[in-house]
mmCIF file of all heavy atoms in Angstrom:
data_model
loop_
_atom_site.group_PDB
_atom_site.id
_atom_site.type_symbol
_atom_site.label_atom_id
_atom_site.label_comp_id
_atom_site.label_asym_id
_atom_site.label_seq_id
_atom_site.Cartn_x
_atom_site.Cartn_y
_atom_site.Cartn_z
ATOM 1 N N LEU A 23 13.149 -8.953 62.034
ATOM 2 C CA LEU A 23 13.152 -9.505 60.671
ATOM 3 C C LEU A 23 13.580 -10.969 60.641
ATOM 4 O O LEU A 23 13.260 -11.679 59.688
ATOM 5 C CB LEU A 23 14.099 -8.696 59.780
ATOM 6 C CG LEU A 23 13.577 -7.352 59.262
ATOM 7 C CD1 LEU A 23 14.707 -6.575 58.611
ATOM 8 C CD2 LEU A 23 12.428 -7.560 58.284
ATOM 9 N N ASP A 24 14.316 -11.402 61.657
ATOM 10 C CA ASP A 24 14.809 -12.786 61.660
ATOM 11 C C ASP A 24 13.647 -13.767 61.619
ATOM 12 O O ASP A 24 12.643 -13.601 62.318
ATOM 13 C CB ASP A 24 15.663 -13.041 62.898
ATOM 14 C CG ASP A 24 16.987 -12.296 62.843
ATOM 15 O OD1 ASP A 24 17.382 -11.870 61.747
ATOM 16 O OD2 ASP A 24 17.623 -12.133 63.905
ATOM 17 N N ASP A 25 13.809 -14.776 60.795
ATOM 18 C CA ASP A 25 12.764 -15.787 60.657
ATOM 19 C C ASP A 25 12.709 -16.691 61.887
ATOM 20 O O ASP A 25 13.735 -16.987 62.519
ATOM 21 C CB ASP A 25 13.008 -16.651 59.410
ATOM 22 C CG ASP A 25 12.860 -15.851 58.122
ATOM 23 O OD1 ASP A 25 12.027 -14.920 58.111
ATOM 24 O OD2 ASP A 25 13.573 -16.151 57.149
ATOM 25 N N ASP A 26 11.502 -17.110 62.241
ATOM 26 C CA ASP A 26 11.329 -18.051 63.343
ATOM 27 C C ASP A 26 11.621 -19.467 62.867
ATOM 28 O O ASP A 26 11.545 -19.769 61.670
ATOM 29 C CB ASP A 26 9.886 -17.982 63.861
ATOM 30 C CG ASP A 26 9.543 -16.614 64.421
ATOM 31 O OD1 ASP A 26 10.368 -16.065 65.169
ATOM 32 O OD2 ASP A 26 8.465 -16.093 64.099
ATOM 33 N N PRO A 27 11.977 -20.352 63.798
ATOM 34 C CA PRO A 27 12.132 -21.767 63.420
ATOM 35 C C PRO A 27 10.830 -22.283 62.801
ATOM 36 O O PRO A 27 9.732 -21.907 63.222
ATOM 37 C CB PRO A 27 12.430 -22.453 64.754
ATOM 38 C CG PRO A 27 12.937 -21.367 65.642
ATOM 39 C CD PRO A 27 12.234 -20.121 65.226
ATOM 40 N N GLU A 28 10.972 -23.118 61.805
ATOM 41 C CA GLU A 28 9.788 -23.637 61.115
ATOM 42 C C GLU A 28 9.399 -24.989 61.713
ATOM 43 O O GLU A 28 10.101 -25.977 61.549
ATOM 44 C CB GLU A 28 10.042 -23.766 59.615
ATOM 45 C CG GLU A 28 10.240 -22.420 58.922
ATOM 46 C CD GLU A 28 10.335 -22.569 57.400
ATOM 47 O OE1 GLU A 28 10.121 -23.703 56.921
ATOM 48 O OE2 GLU A 28 10.642 -21.580 56.728
ATOM 49 N N PHE A 29 8.305 -25.006 62.444
ATOM 50 C CA PHE A 29 7.719 -26.253 62.933
ATOM 51 C C PHE A 29 6.244 -26.012 63.179
ATOM 52 O O PHE A 29 5.790 -24.867 63.284
ATOM 53 C CB PHE A 29 8.425 -26.749 64.208
ATOM 54 C CG PHE A 29 8.426 -25.754 65.350
ATOM 55 C CD1 PHE A 29 7.283 -25.520 66.110
ATOM 56 C CD2 PHE A 29 9.585 -25.065 65.681
ATOM 57 C CE1 PHE A 29 7.290 -24.612 67.153
ATOM 58 C CE2 PHE A 29 9.590 -24.158 66.724
ATOM 59 C CZ PHE A 29 8.444 -23.925 67.459
ATOM 60 N N ARG A 30 5.523 -27.085 63.268
ATOM 61 C CA ARG A 30 4.085 -27.002 63.546
ATOM 62 C C ARG A 30 3.760 -27.947 64.687
ATOM 63 O O ARG A 30 4.195 -29.102 64.700
ATOM 64 C CB ARG A 30 3.270 -27.371 62.305
ATOM 65 C CG ARG A 30 3.450 -26.396 61.134
ATOM 66 C CD ARG A 30 2.499 -26.708 59.995
ATOM 67 N NE ARG A 30 2.691 -28.078 59.510
ATOM 68 C CZ ARG A 30 1.779 -28.754 58.807
ATOM 69 N NH1 ARG A 30 0.614 -28.198 58.543
ATOM 70 N NH2 ARG A 30 2.033 -29.974 58.391
ATOM 71 N N LEU A 31 3.016 -27.427 65.643
ATOM 72 C CA LEU A 31 2.675 -28.191 66.834
ATOM 73 C C LEU A 31 1.178 -28.482 66.865
ATOM 74 O O LEU A 31 0.365 -27.640 66.476
ATOM 75 C CB LEU A 31 3.052 -27.413 68.093
ATOM 76 C CG LEU A 31 4.522 -26.999 68.258
ATOM 77 C CD1 LEU A 31 4.675 -26.148 69.514
ATOM 78 C CD2 LEU A 31 5.420 -28.222 68.322
ATOM 79 N N THR A 32 0.856 -29.660 67.371
ATOM 80 C CA THR A 32 -0.550 -29.938 67.650
ATOM 81 C C THR A 32 -0.946 -29.206 68.928
ATOM 82 O O THR A 32 -0.105 -28.694 69.655
ATOM 83 C CB THR A 32 -0.776 -31.441 67.824
ATOM 84 O OG1 THR A 32 -0.057 -31.884 68.994
ATOM 85 C CG2 THR A 32 -0.292 -32.225 66.611
ATOM 86 N N ALA A 33 -2.229 -29.177 69.210
ATOM 87 C CA ALA A 33 -2.701 -28.503 70.420
ATOM 88 C C ALA A 33 -2.107 -29.138 71.666
ATOM 89 O O ALA A 33 -1.701 -28.444 72.607
ATOM 90 C CB ALA A 33 -4.225 -28.530 70.467
ATOM 91 N N SER A 34 -2.036 -30.452 71.698
ATOM 92 C CA SER A 34 -1.485 -31.124 72.877
ATOM 93 C C SER A 34 0.005 -30.856 73.014
ATOM 94 O O SER A 34 0.519 -30.681 74.128
ATOM 95 C CB SER A 34 -1.752 -32.632 72.797
ATOM 96 O OG SER A 34 -1.130 -33.192 71.647
ATOM 97 N N GLU A 35 0.739 -30.796 71.884
ATOM 98 C CA GLU A 35 2.171 -30.493 71.935
ATOM 99 C C GLU A 35 2.401 -29.046 72.406
ATOM 100 O O GLU A 35 3.327 -28.777 73.171
ATOM 101 C CB GLU A 35 2.795 -30.703 70.561
ATOM 102 C CG GLU A 35 2.880 -32.174 70.150
ATOM 103 C CD GLU A 35 3.260 -32.352 68.701
ATOM 104 O OE1 GLU A 35 3.050 -31.407 67.908
ATOM 105 O OE2 GLU A 35 3.757 -33.433 68.345
ATOM 106 N N LEU A 36 1.540 -28.155 71.954
ATOM 107 C CA LEU A 36 1.653 -26.764 72.371
ATOM 108 C C LEU A 36 1.388 -26.620 73.864
ATOM 109 O O LEU A 36 2.111 -25.916 74.573
ATOM 110 C CB LEU A 36 0.676 -25.898 71.573
ATOM 111 C CG LEU A 36 0.668 -24.407 71.913
ATOM 112 C CD1 LEU A 36 2.024 -23.777 71.619
ATOM 113 C CD2 LEU A 36 -0.430 -23.681 71.142
ATOM 114 N N ALA A 37 0.372 -27.311 74.347
ATOM 115 C CA ALA A 37 0.048 -27.248 75.776
ATOM 116 C C ALA A 37 1.197 -27.805 76.602
ATOM 117 O O ALA A 37 1.594 -27.221 77.619
ATOM 118 C CB ALA A 37 -1.237 -28.020 76.049
ATOM 119 N N ARG A 38 1.763 -28.913 76.179
ATOM 120 C CA ARG A 38 2.852 -29.534 76.923
ATOM 121 C C ARG A 38 4.109 -28.664 76.888
ATOM 122 O O ARG A 38 4.799 -28.519 77.894
ATOM 123 C CB ARG A 38 3.146 -30.914 76.339
ATOM 124 C CG ARG A 38 4.203 -31.699 77.124
ATOM 125 C CD ARG A 38 4.292 -33.143 76.671
ATOM 126 N NE ARG A 38 4.694 -33.259 75.281
ATOM 127 C CZ ARG A 38 3.868 -33.603 74.286
ATOM 128 N NH1 ARG A 38 2.590 -33.855 74.531
ATOM 129 N NH2 ARG A 38 4.310 -33.696 73.045
ATOM 130 N N SER A 39 4.403 -28.046 75.747
ATOM 131 C CA SER A 39 5.614 -27.233 75.604
ATOM 132 C C SER A 39 5.526 -25.924 76.359
ATOM 133 O O SER A 39 6.552 -25.373 76.782
ATOM 134 C CB SER A 39 5.878 -26.950 74.121
ATOM 135 O OG SER A 39 6.079 -28.142 73.398
ATOM 136 N N SER A 40 4.323 -25.408 76.524
ATOM 137 C CA SER A 40 4.145 -24.112 77.166
ATOM 138 C C SER A 40 3.776 -24.210 78.637
ATOM 139 O O SER A 40 3.854 -23.216 79.368
ATOM 140 C CB SER A 40 3.072 -23.306 76.437
ATOM 141 O OG SER A 40 1.816 -23.982 76.508
ATOM 142 N N GLY A 41 3.347 -25.375 79.070
ATOM 143 C CA GLY A 41 2.912 -25.524 80.449
ATOM 144 C C GLY A 41 1.466 -25.157 80.678
ATOM 145 O O GLY A 41 1.025 -25.025 81.827
ATOM 146 N N LEU A 42 0.704 -24.991 79.600
ATOM 147 C CA LEU A 42 -0.719 -24.671 79.717
ATOM 148 C C LEU A 42 -1.542 -25.942 79.833
ATOM 149 O O LEU A 42 -1.200 -26.971 79.232
ATOM 150 C CB LEU A 42 -1.194 -23.875 78.492
ATOM 151 C CG LEU A 42 -0.677 -22.443 78.339
ATOM 152 C CD1 LEU A 42 -1.092 -21.897 76.983
ATOM 153 C CD2 LEU A 42 -1.205 -21.561 79.455
ATOM 154 N N ASP A 43 -2.635 -25.867 80.568
ATOM 155 C CA ASP A 43 -3.569 -26.985 80.546
ATOM 156 C C ASP A 43 -4.485 -26.827 79.337
ATOM 157 O O ASP A 43 -4.666 -25.715 78.817
ATOM 158 C CB ASP A 43 -4.384 -27.023 81.841
ATOM 159 C CG ASP A 43 -5.181 -25.756 82.052
ATOM 160 O OD1 ASP A 43 -6.232 -25.592 81.410
ATOM 161 O OD2 ASP A 43 -4.737 -24.903 82.851
ATOM 162 N N PRO A 44 -5.074 -27.918 78.849
ATOM 163 C CA PRO A 44 -5.896 -27.853 77.635
ATOM 164 C C PRO A 44 -7.034 -26.845 77.726
ATOM 165 O O PRO A 44 -7.350 -26.166 76.733
ATOM 166 C CB PRO A 44 -6.420 -29.283 77.497
ATOM 167 C CG PRO A 44 -5.375 -30.127 78.169
ATOM 168 C CD PRO A 44 -4.894 -29.304 79.317
ATOM 169 N N ALA A 45 -7.650 -26.709 78.885
ATOM 170 C CA ALA A 45 -8.764 -25.771 79.015
ATOM 171 C C ALA A 45 -8.303 -24.329 78.804
ATOM 172 O O ALA A 45 -8.980 -23.531 78.142
ATOM 173 C CB ALA A 45 -9.422 -25.927 80.386
ATOM 174 N N THR A 46 -7.140 -23.984 79.371
ATOM 175 C CA THR A 46 -6.627 -22.626 79.205
ATOM 176 C C THR A 46 -6.223 -22.383 77.764
ATOM 177 O O THR A 46 -6.450 -21.295 77.217
ATOM 178 C CB THR A 46 -5.416 -22.395 80.135
ATOM 179 O OG1 THR A 46 -5.811 -22.615 81.486
ATOM 180 C CG2 THR A 46 -4.883 -20.985 79.983
#
């Protein structure tokens, strides 16, 4: 039930934060 932190990431920010390459 706990709320997640509220933020929005761009695709490039998401890839960088997760360690994914853009193609994946």
Side-chain angles (χ1 to χ4, degrees):
L23 282 170
D24 290 342
D25 293 327
D26 298 315
E28 294 186 6
F29 57 76
R30 295 187 302 160
L31 302 176
T32 65
S34 61
E35 290 169 338
L36 179 62
R38 185 170 62 253
S39 299
S40 62
L42 291 172
D43 60 78
T46 302

